[in-house]
Amino acid sequence: MIADAKRNHMDSAKSFRFIIVKKFCEQYELLPRFAIALHNALFGNEKCPGAYLDDDDDGNKSTDGPNDPLIKRCAYVNEIVANLEGVLEKFKRKAQAVFTL
């Protein structure tokens, strides 16, 4: 039940932003943007869009290859890690700038 709810909330960047991030405490200025950036870095890789089954010409679901989003992302792990590191570095600088004000 929880997994069904979260799947429906995290299925796209738009759902994540408007269903989950909008519930964050307003006092955390950088947290919403940080969460969105992390979500995009992890799930926004167009080379591995996640779990899906393509329809063939007859409308049947294809079962070629693994349908697990984690398995799909393994092929791009270095690229995803680099994206995540970039997000962390960017928001580290932003957080440090807040502390120096």
Side-chain angles (χ1 to χ4, degrees), residues 2 16-18 36 39 44 49 63 65 73 80 92 95-96:
I2 292 172
F16 180 74
R17 185 176 298 118
F18 291 108
I36 291 167
H39 184 273
T63 56
R73 281 168 177 73
I80 292 169
K92 174 182 152 187
Q96 287 172 335

Side-chain angles (χ1 to χ4, degrees), residues 7 17 32 43 46 51 58 64 67 74 78 94:
R7 181 184 62 224
R17 185 176 298 118
F43 298 109
E46 61 189 38
D58 298 322
D64 295 337
N67 193 38
C74 285
N78 292 336
K94 288 180 180 275

